[in-house]
Amino acid sequence: MKTFITGHKSPDTDSIASSLVMADLEKKLGNTNDIIACRLGNLNKETEYALKHFNIEAPVLIENVSEADEVILVDHNNFAESASDIADAKIVKVIDHHRVSGFETSEPLFYMAQPVGCTCTILYELYKMNNIEIEPVYAGLMLSAIISDSLLFKSPTCTPKDIKVAEDLAKISNTDINTYGLDMLKAGTDLSSYTAEELINIDSKEVSANGYKIQIAQVNTVDIDDVLKNKIDIEKAMNNLISSKGLDLFIFAITDILNCNSKAIVLGDKVSVVEKAFNTTVENNLAFLPGVVSRKKQIIPPISESI
Amino acid sequence: MKTFITGHKSPDTDSIASSLVMADLEKKLGNTNDIIACRLGNLNKETEYALKHFNIEAPVLIENVSEADEVILVDHNNFAESASDIADAKIVKVIDHHRVSGFETSEPLFYMAQPVGCTCTILYELYKMNNIEIEPVYAGLMLSAIISDSLLFKSPTCTPKDIKVAEDLAKISNTDINTYGLDMLKAGTDLSSYTAEELINIDSKEVSANGYKIQIAQVNTVDIDDVLKNKIDIEKAMNNLISSKGLDLFIFAITDILNCNSKAIVLGDKVSVVEKAFNTTVENNLAFLPGVVSRKKQIIPPISESI
């Protein structure tokens, strides 16, 4: 029997870390299946940095879950963000920190979600609940995920529980949160090797609202203008995706993780939605979003409401 | 601020007990809102017996959740089984043991589901996780719910965890499981005062499968033939509901809780689905279902598959 554990498409550090950590936890909980930590896409540079730092192999790259007897989802529940054949799989567990949407099972399952900033914060609690000791390497992975999702505790998605858990994980993994955290986040902002097509797919999410198809991609940087040097190529790549997917709106947010602001390239028929949502004007396809760092808390809700 | 806690429509003992128990737990977890245990329908006789035995007031009968600032769902997640306006409510927590279906939120939430026989088994774990002592009256309520959902541990939905938790709850509430359990279950089988219309609504669930609308109601008894004395009136009531709701199939399962068998009155255009699902013949609108006691495990899955 094979148990696949996977995070979402375009995996971020939380999805990758959660998949590896949950595999460890399942084994220690006594699951005797062949347990395989998986991923549905390439590693980003931030995650590569974290895996290298804690010296652990990446999850197995998969395209679907057809070979799995059962599947555990981490860091997502929406089928649209999961393996293409997930609706046919037997999902036995979900550990997540997102809203529930586009998810359904035919059988009862273990589902644990909490409104916290990071899936790994919940995984930490599962270790504690089951009195299982956390090994330093998995503590380091979970800490990396919390730093990543919370932008070193600066994102509005970050809760007091995330911070408390991160502090304990820093002790277990013997990590200096600020030094390691800044190094890891900066590693993730090295966008120099990406083509425009790759750039808009590093962390991209499709959202449906009121019948409209909206793509919201995001990259982190320490220099927004440096990313905007390739604005023409990025716009071309965005327009290609708008045509091929029939999108009504494409928002590409470039987030300055040091100053906690974003600029967004905005294309599609529904650009006015962004102007209304953020009470701003889109000039030359560009909108300035002061204080905005979180897609989940600060972009998706106003866009959904505005549309 | 008001927090409403509610189980599903046509509440059973688990829905009522979970609502009362969760209200106790929320208070002890430090929720300072006005916390109101609610119910979406009349008590059945089994639940009345349990509440009287442990001397506790029933939850407040509500028709909708319009007055609630936030809502906690227990023992269900499907909006079709919840308050009519649940889609507009802010759902902050779900504690449940059913499959996830027909459920969506716009915000992250606390969601705890486990594939166990009873919601109260999960609530017991929440007390333990949070190091909160369980008072005897709430232990008694949770024990009643586990006995009810598991038909005194005889239902295939019952798990080893349910039994273990029930044994601890019996100690805390100083209850003899078998004596009390049989008395409570028998109290629930006194169907003498119900009209045919009421009978088919005591514990009734609408299921959608492959675009078809299927109603599956169930009553427990110690004498199936006694219930069938009113077969003509029951059929009339069922046919009325088929017309008014546009149902494709109505299954009314009469379950003998001592011998663990069921007979079902089956009406609607899709009667053949039942014949296929249980490899049986429906004669005079009646099907014999040997060994069948659980709607969730033994009726809904084969019907869904067959349709």
Side-chain angles (χ1 to χ4, degrees):
Chain A
M1 290 269 287
K2 281 184 182 173
T3 304
F4 279 21
I5 304 177
T6 185
H8 53 74
K9 284 191 248 183
S10 306
D12 56 8
T13 300
D14 190 24
S15 267
I16 297 295
S18 295
S19 156
L20 292 165
V21 168
M22 187 66 188
D24 174 64
L25 189 57
E26 273 298 296
K27 283 173 202 161
K28 289 174 177 160
L29 284 170
N31 183 335
T32 55
N33 287 355
D34 194 4
I35 298 166
I36 301 150
C38 303
R39 60 188 164 101
L40 290 168
N42 293 328
L43 301 176
N44 66 37
K45 289 189 179 166
E46 178 197 278
T47 311
E48 271 178 0
Y49 182 91
L51 294 183
K52 199 172 166 193
H53 184 93
F54 291 104
N55 195 22
I56 186 164
E57 290 277 316
V60 177
L61 181 65
I62 56 167
E63 290 195 344
N64 57 56
V65 293
S66 60
E67 281 178 34
D69 296 289
E70 48 181 54
V71 176
I72 295 173
L73 301 185
V74 289
D75 195 29
H76 74 298
N77 66 82
N78 196 322
F79 287 177
E81 294 166 24
S82 199
S84 54
D85 56 348
I86 195 68
D88 305 323
K90 186 182 177 191
I91 301 167
V92 292
K93 294 192 182 184
V94 175
I95 320 292
D96 190 24
H97 68 126
H98 296 88
R99 72 193 188 105
V100 180
S101 175
F103 178 82
E104 183 170 275
T105 61
S106 57
E107 294 290 328
L109 77 165
F110 181 98
Y111 197 116
M112 182 138 178
Q114 290 185 36
V116 291
C118 183
T119 307
C120 281
T121 301
I122 307 167
L123 289 171
Y124 171 91
E125 286 206 332
L126 281 174
Y127 278 103
K128 294 288 170 189
M129 267 170 65
N130 291 287
N131 292 314
I132 296 170
E133 205 181 325
I134 303 172
E135 291 177 39
V137 57
Y138 294 109
L141 278 179
M142 287 191 272
L143 175 62
S144 304
I146 296 174
I147 292 168
S148 169
D149 270 7
S150 72
L151 292 177
L152 256 174
F153 315 137
K154 283 188 286 189
S155 168
T157 58
C158 186
T159 68
K161 196 191 269 187
D162 296 300
I163 298 172
K164 202 165 159 249
V165 168
E167 283 165 354
D168 193 33
L169 292 170
K171 269 185 217 146
I172 298 171
S173 64
N174 194 23
T175 306
D176 182 279
I177 295 183
N178 277 306
T179 311
Y180 170 71
L182 264 183
D183 285 348
M184 186 195 79
L185 290 177
K186 277 187 190 160
T189 67
D190 173 11
L191 304 171
S192 55
S193 70
Y194 292 104
T195 66
E197 283 76 19
E198 288 166 345
L199 214 55
I200 63 167
N201 278 306
I202 289 176
D203 183 9
S204 193
K205 193 170 254 182
E206 190 184 314
V207 178
S208 287
N210 214 2
Y212 294 106
K213 283 173 84 171
I214 305 160
Q215 194 82 25
I216 308 178
Q218 186 174 27
V219 290
N220 292 334
T221 181
V222 289
D223 185 351
I224 291 177
D225 290 332
D226 191 52
V227 180
L228 285 175
K229 277 182 193 156
N230 297 313
K231 182 160 171 279
I232 292 168
D233 287 341
I234 294 170
E235 287 174 348
K236 208 166 147 188
M238 288 171 72
N239 277 321
N240 286 342
L241 204 71
I242 289 173
S243 303
S244 66
K245 292 182 77 172
L247 300 172
D248 299 290
L249 178 63
F250 195 150
I251 301 168
F252 178 65
I254 307 158
T255 299
D256 179 340
I257 57 164
L258 297 182
N259 299 304
C260 296
N261 290 315
S262 295
K263 279 189 184 169
I265 303 178
V266 185
L267 292 172
D269 290 339
K270 288 277 159 192
V271 165
S272 60
V273 168
V274 174
E275 298 188 315
K276 198 175 139 203
F278 297 100
N279 193 22
T280 183
T281 49
V282 175
E283 273 179 66
N284 197 16
N285 305 330
L286 210 57
F288 179 55
L289 310 176
V292 170
V293 296
S294 164
R295 176 170 54 195
K296 185 160 75 172
K297 283 252 181 179
Q298 297 174 299
I299 301 182
I300 295 177
I303 290 289
S304 297
E305 198 162 303
S306 157
I307 210 158
Chain B
M1 291 271 286
K2 281 184 181 176
T3 303
F4 280 21
I5 304 176
T6 184
H8 54 74
K9 285 192 245 182
S10 306
D12 56 7
T13 300
D14 190 24
S15 266
I16 297 294
S18 294
S19 155
L20 292 165
V21 168
M22 187 66 189
D24 175 62
L25 189 57
E26 273 297 297
K27 283 173 203 162
K28 288 173 180 163
L29 283 170
N31 183 335
T32 55
N33 287 355
D34 194 5
I35 297 165
I36 302 150
C38 303
R39 61 188 162 101
L40 290 168
N42 292 328
L43 301 176
N44 66 37
K45 289 190 177 165
E46 180 197 276
T47 311
E48 271 178 359
Y49 182 91
L51 294 182
K52 199 172 166 192
H53 184 92
F54 290 104
N55 194 24
I56 185 163
E57 290 277 317
V60 177
L61 181 65
I62 56 167
E63 291 195 347
N64 57 56
V65 293
S66 60
E67 281 179 34
D69 297 288
E70 48 181 53
V71 176
I72 295 173
L73 301 185
V74 288
D75 194 29
H76 74 299
N77 65 82
N78 197 322
F79 287 177
E81 295 165 25
S82 200
S84 55
D85 56 348
I86 195 68
D88 306 323
K90 185 183 177 191
I91 302 169
V92 292
K93 294 191 183 185
V94 176
I95 320 290
D96 190 24
H97 67 126
H98 295 88
R99 73 192 186 105
V100 179
S101 175
F103 178 81
E104 183 170 274
T105 61
S106 57
E107 294 290 329
L109 76 166
F110 181 98
Y111 197 116
M112 182 139 178
Q114 290 186 37
V116 292
C118 183
T119 306
C120 281
T121 300
I122 307 167
L123 289 171
Y124 170 92
E125 286 206 334
L126 281 175
Y127 277 105
K128 294 289 169 186
M129 267 169 64
N130 292 287
N131 293 313
I132 296 170
E133 205 181 326
I134 303 172
E135 291 177 39
V137 58
Y138 294 108
L141 277 180
M142 288 191 271
L143 176 62
S144 303
I146 297 174
I147 292 168
S148 169
D149 270 7
S150 72
L151 293 176
L152 254 174
F153 315 136
K154 282 187 288 188
S155 168
T157 59
C158 186
T159 68
K161 195 190 268 186
D162 296 300
I163 298 172
K164 203 166 157 246
V165 168
E167 283 166 355
D168 192 34
L169 292 169
K171 268 186 217 148
I172 299 170
S173 64
N174 194 21
T175 307
D176 181 281
I177 295 183
N178 276 306
T179 311
Y180 169 70
L182 264 183
D183 285 350
M184 186 196 78
L185 289 177
K186 275 187 191 159
T189 67
D190 174 12
L191 304 171
S192 56
S193 70
Y194 291 104
T195 66
E197 283 75 19
E198 288 167 344
L199 214 54
I200 63 167
N201 280 305
I202 289 176
D203 182 9
S204 193
K205 191 170 257 183
E206 191 183 312
V207 178
S208 286
N210 214 0
Y212 293 105
K213 284 174 84 171
I214 305 162
Q215 194 83 24
I216 308 179
Q218 186 174 29
V219 291
N220 292 334
T221 181
V222 290
D223 185 351
I224 290 178
D225 289 333
D226 191 52
V227 179
L228 286 174
K229 274 181 193 156
N230 297 313
K231 182 160 173 278
I232 291 167
D233 287 341
I234 294 170
E235 287 173 347
K236 209 167 149 186
M238 288 171 71
N239 277 320
N240 286 342
L241 205 70
I242 288 173
S243 303
S244 65
K245 292 183 75 171
L247 300 172
D248 299 289
L249 179 63
F250 195 150
I251 301 169
F252 178 65
I254 307 158
T255 299
D256 179 338
I257 57 164
L258 298 182
N259 298 304
C260 295
N261 289 315
S262 294
K263 279 187 184 173
I265 303 178
V266 185
L267 292 172
D269 290 339
K270 288 278 159 189
V271 165
S272 60
V273 168
V274 174
E275 298 189 315
K276 196 175 138 203
F278 298 100
N279 193 19
T280 184
T281 50
V282 174
E283 273 178 66
N284 197 18
N285 305 331
L286 211 58
F288 179 55
L289 310 177
V292 171
V293 296
S294 164
R295 175 170 54 193
K296 185 161 74 171
K297 284 251 181 180
Q298 298 173 299
I299 301 181
I300 294 177
I303 290 289
S304 297
E305 196 161 305
S306 157
I307 210 158

